[in-house]
Amino acid sequence: MAWIFYSDGKLNLHKFYLHQQETLLAGLLRVGIKAQFECRQGYCGVCKVKYRALNAKTRLDYTLSPLVMLAEDELLPCCCRVQGALVIKTAITQADS
């Protein structure tokens, strides 16, 4: 269970709740965010985004071990589950209605 905050690129901050056992990518798609992805298994790196944890209790758990090299401030939404709260630093756009 987690709160995910993101910017729409226009200085507006939005948030959504990530369900328990839901990957970050599944949550992004559920709330209508255009997220880039391909493999959904942690090896292509297409979905890689930068993030910032909002508190010391924020934890990332991977359903699969990522095969892509990640910096300390990057994660793979396709196979990442979040506990706590974090901000996705990459500007994100809503899917067309």
Side-chain angles (χ1 to χ4, degrees), residues 39 61 67:
C39 73
D61 295 315
L67 298 177

Side-chain angles (χ1 to χ4, degrees), residues 1-66:
M1 302 183 291
W3 280 105
I4 309 300
F5 296 85
Y6 65 96
S7 171
D8 61 9
K10 299 175 185 171
L11 300 179
N12 297 316
L13 191 63
H14 302 276
K15 66 180 178 182
F16 69 93
Y17 191 76
L18 195 62
H19 296 288
Q20 191 170 354
Q21 300 300 316
E22 183 177 40
T23 65
L24 181 53
L25 178 60
L28 291 168
L29 297 175
R30 176 177 49 80
V31 298
I33 295 172
K34 291 182 184 176
Q36 295 185 350
F37 64 94
E38 282 190 27
C39 73
R40 289 187 179 226
Q41 299 195 17
Y43 63 82
C44 75
V46 170
C47 66
K48 186 186 322 184
V49 295
K50 291 187 178 290
Y51 79 97
R52 181 174 52 87
L54 290 180
N55 59 51
K57 293 183 180 182
T58 298
R59 193 173 85 222
L60 304 179
D61 295 315
Y62 283 93
T63 59
L64 302 167
S65 296

Side-chain angles (χ1 to χ4, degrees), residues 61-79:
D61 295 315
Y62 283 93
T63 59
L64 302 167
S65 296
L67 298 177
V68 174
M69 297 295 292
L70 296 171
E72 286 188 29
D73 65 344
E74 294 177 326
L75 60 80
L76 294 177
C78 69
C79 56

